[in-house]
Amino acid sequence: MLKKIIAASAMCAFSCGISFGKIGALDIMEFGAEGIAKSGITYRCVGDNSHATCYFKDIDTLLFQVKNMRTEAWLTDNQWKSEISGDIVVNLNNDSAVFMPKSFRCENTEDLKDLQNLNNGRCVITSDVATLSIDSKALSESKTYRYKTMPTIFLQYITKIERLSKEYDRIQTQYHNKVAALQQKVHEDLDDIQTEIDMLATAEMQNNGYRHSCGHKSTSPQENLMRQKQAIKKNYNIAYDEIVQQYEDDMAEWQQSVVTWLNQYNFAINEVRVYTHTNKLAETAFGVFAKEYFMFNENIPLTKQEQKERDEQKKQLTAQYYAGLEAMRAASITFIEQSPYLEEHLKESLQKIVAEYAKLFDPNAHKRSVKILITPKNNNLVKLGDEAQKLIAAYNTKGNKETEMFQALFDIINRYDIKAVKLWPEQQQ
């Protein structure tokens, strides 16, 4: 699972332009591709310091295949530009396959200007019935950018990332090795004692019991061995607790080093635009729902009674479709309204977004697109270290970890306005 997460993170890094690399474009691409290769994906990279391209062998999973995947990047002293694209083949033979993604393409450009790194990204995901476009503008700001070039900044990144990664691996390996060695020793000690207990029990059965020569029953060897067994278990628990405590201390120190490093960077998402454009989505959805009806041969002559029955069937199917659509819309709105994590301004706007998307599936609404605009409630930059600290604190909580994590994530989401718009800001002027 960890390898899959690392691979996904590397692919995301390509598309978002946050790949950490060495001096040249080819070095950066190779570094990112190596992370993907850890999950067993074969690749080939070509290029030089200013431009590089990586080609990936087809990726097969249980549900889909990714074909023709490639990444490309350009690097200058003040700019990093990257692209990633591929085709998706869904392993489904039913009608729902038309709703699945068929291809993706993401582009990203970062421009270094004094203490700021300006980021512009765009991702387009297409299917037979819809196209999803996501455009984003963000920036990071740091004193570490002063008098630096883009290749130098990447070199700093990779040096720090590799150091943190090695320290993390050391902590994990040390913890697992200590626990494994302790468990092995305890297992051997308990096994030895159990062997002695079994041997004594056998001897006692043969001698018809064990008694002291004075006639007073004394502590038997078996009882002494049982006490030793309990002592071993007790000592194991103590030793295990010490290992766990050392592990938690080491991880806390490692987490703090991550926070300290990230606190050098301020970050802001200036704007995100999500544009969904459909091509007969509502008609296709209704057609899949009423497949048996539409398979009826329209060319067969019908009697008046048969035509009447057919029209009645159509009414019933249509009513069922709209009932299901309304049920999903109402359930989504209720979920948003009752969410303990969302602030009121988002509850209201997200309910409107649900209503807009529901219209995309309504053949009578004749709606083909939805525009979603995400903007910050204020223009303040945030310290990445502070955000990381909140997530770490939520993850380390001894209480309901899932609730704390959700709350920490939504505390970030609640800083933004997310709303459906008819026109983009420049079109409103």
Side-chain angles (χ1 to χ4, degrees), residues 37 82 114 150 195 250 308-309 313 409:
S82 63
D114 195 20
M150 192 69 79
T195 299
D250 289 345
K308 183 177 179 181
E309 292 175 354
Q313 289 175 352
L409 289 170

Side-chain angles (χ1 to χ4, degrees), residues 136-331:
S136 63
K137 294 181 180 180
L139 68 86
S140 61
E141 184 179 82
S142 175
K143 292 180 180 179
T144 64
Y145 296 158
R146 191 185 301 275
Y147 309 126
K148 299 292 194 312
T149 62
M150 192 69 79
T152 305
I153 290 174
F154 283 158
L155 182 59
Q156 289 179 336
Y157 284 162
I158 191 172
T159 301
K160 187 64 177 181
I161 289 296
E162 288 185 331
R163 185 180 298 123
L164 290 170
S165 180
K166 288 179 180 178
E167 178 61 13
Y168 177 85
D169 290 342
R170 183 197 67 79
I171 294 172
Q172 298 298 320
T173 301
Q174 178 178 273
Y175 168 72
H176 289 297
N177 287 346
K178 284 185 175 181
V179 171
L182 177 63
Q183 290 176 338
Q184 179 65 25
K185 185 178 185 308
V186 170
H187 175 76
E188 291 174 354
D189 291 346
L190 291 176
D191 189 59
D192 290 343
I193 290 177
Q194 188 60 49
T195 299
E196 291 187 49
I197 292 174
D198 293 341
M199 291 174 62
L200 287 172
T202 301
E204 183 173 308
M205 289 177 62
Q206 293 174 350
N207 296 327
N208 195 25
Y210 172 83
R211 287 187 178 274
H212 193 269
S213 59
C214 296
H216 297 288
K217 190 174 182 179
S218 64
T219 302
S220 68
Q222 291 97 323
E223 291 173 333
N224 286 329
L225 289 171
M226 289 299 295
R227 288 196 180 96
Q228 292 179 40
K229 193 174 183 180
Q230 294 300 319
I232 289 173
K233 291 181 179 180
K234 180 179 180 180
N235 291 334
Y236 165 79
N237 291 332
I238 294 173
Y240 178 78
D241 289 343
E242 290 177 351
I243 293 173
V244 170
Q245 184 60 55
Q246 183 61 55
Y247 170 75
E248 291 178 348
D249 291 343
D250 289 345
M251 282 302 299
E253 185 176 347
W254 181 84
Q255 290 167 352
Q256 189 56 50
S257 67
V258 173
V259 170
T260 301
W261 173 52
L262 291 179
N263 264 331
Q264 299 178 93
Y265 303 96
N266 297 323
F267 181 77
I269 296 176
N270 295 329
E271 182 183 84
V272 178
R273 299 182 180 189
V274 182
Y275 179 48
T276 304
H277 179 73
T278 68
N279 175 31
K280 296 184 178 180
L281 173 61
E283 293 83 353
T284 303
F286 181 75
V288 170
F289 174 80
K291 180 180 178 181
E292 292 184 2
Y293 172 81
F294 282 101
M295 288 178 65
F296 188 91
N297 192 339
E298 294 280 1
N299 297 320
I300 297 177
L302 300 176
T303 65
K304 289 184 178 180
Q305 182 60 33
E306 289 173 335
Q307 184 63 52
K308 183 177 179 181
E309 292 175 354
R310 179 168 170 74
D311 290 342
E312 184 61 29
Q313 289 175 352
K314 185 175 180 179
K315 290 180 183 179
Q316 292 176 0
L317 284 169
T318 302
Q320 291 174 16
Y321 178 81
Y322 277 98
L325 181 61
E326 175 59 24
M328 288 188 291
R329 186 193 71 84

